Amino acid sequence: MREKSGNRVRFRMAALLLCALVGGSPSIAQEMTTSLVDIHQGSPLSDRARSLGNGGYELQNGTFVSFNQWYRASWVDMHVDLLTQITEDTGVLWGFGTGEEGEKYRIAPSLKLGFLTQMHPNPNSTLSLSFTTTFGGKLTEKSCEADYGDFGTYSVNCRLAASQMAPEETLKYLVNAKPESQHLWLNYRVTF
């Protein structure tokens, strides 16, 4: 007889609890399977961070400073989506995003949770409904310390440090964006 690992026991306990909550039988929890639905790198927020790297400014001594180096990451936010089947027509959608970080921005890690259910109005058709919500994954832009010579050093929006705007005014334009947090899908499929 094999000894059960702690993780497997905890997973089965969570599966039994989940089945109790959604009305499934405990025997189903023992047979639940988890499948990989999607895995990809990048997101609209990753694209937005990259677009912040367009442009640059010239220092007083004529040296060009490119924004590109500040909005580049060695690791792009990776998303993994999984489906744990509870019954023949019901499952829990879940997943995570790893987040990413560059010198002047950060995308926080994220967690996705949801459900999928389907019914068959007739033998040749399937009506499915799924809903997911994402927690975390926020994009935040970091400020810079800019030396304005005789005027002093200020915390500023890096991209607007050379603008005509007052240094403290530039901070209002730091990017602080949330990902799309909820998705609802309704799908009807007919097979001929």
Side-chain angles (χ1 to χ4, degrees):
M1 186 170 158
R2 279 185 8 197
E3 195 174 313
K4 294 179 182 176
S5 74
N7 286 340
R8 183 174 290 167
V9 171
R10 281 190 288 274
F11 176 74
R12 286 203 174 143
M13 291 299 287
L16 287 168
L17 179 61
L18 191 58
C19 275
L21 291 173
V22 296
S25 71
S27 63
I28 292 173
Q30 299 295 328
E31 299 174 15
M32 287 195 312
T33 59
T34 298
S35 305
L36 178 65
V37 175
D38 184 33
I39 185 168
H40 65 275
Q41 274 193 298
S43 67
L45 290 182
S46 289
D47 295 341
R48 184 165 181 190
R50 229 78 54 248
S51 73
L52 295 173
N54 296 333
Y57 58 84
E58 208 170 283
L59 296 175
Q60 193 172 8
N61 66 8
T63 306
F64 182 74
V65 177
S66 172
F67 297 153
N68 188 35
Q69 63 186 344
W70 295 337
Y71 299 95
R72 208 175 11 184
S74 59
W75 176 263
V76 177
D77 190 17
M78 178 179 277
H79 294 264
V80 177
D81 295 330
L82 301 147
L83 170 66
T84 299
Q85 187 174 346
I86 296 172
T87 67
E88 188 175 310
D89 292 322
T90 307
V92 174
L93 294 164
W94 59 283
F96 61 90
T98 61
E100 72 178 77
E101 190 162 4
E103 188 177 340
K104 297 296 176 189
Y105 78 97
R106 178 175 188 264
I107 297 175
S110 62
L111 176 66
K112 181 186 282 188
L113 294 172
F115 70 90
L116 168 70
T117 187
Q118 64 182 12
M119 57 188 267
H120 307 280
N122 61 55
N124 295 336
S125 66
T126 304
L127 177 64
S128 59
L129 171 72
S130 66
F131 174 77
T132 60
T133 188
T134 301
F135 304 95
K138 188 175 181 181
L139 166 64
T140 51
E141 186 177 13
K142 300 174 186 175
S143 62
C144 292
E145 291 297 314
D147 185 356
Y148 289 94
D150 294 339
F151 299 107
T153 302
Y154 293 90
S155 182
V156 296
N157 180 319
C158 308
R159 296 173 292 111
L160 300 174
S163 71
Q164 298 297 318
M165 219 179 281
E168 57 276 0
E169 288 292 310
T170 65
L171 296 174
K172 294 179 187 176
Y173 299 96
L174 288 172
V175 174
N176 194 0
K178 294 180 181 179
E180 291 181 359
S181 62
Q182 296 181 339
H183 289 99
L184 177 67
W185 292 276
L186 183 62
N187 185 22
Y188 184 69
R189 187 176 67 215
V190 178
T191 315
F192 297 101

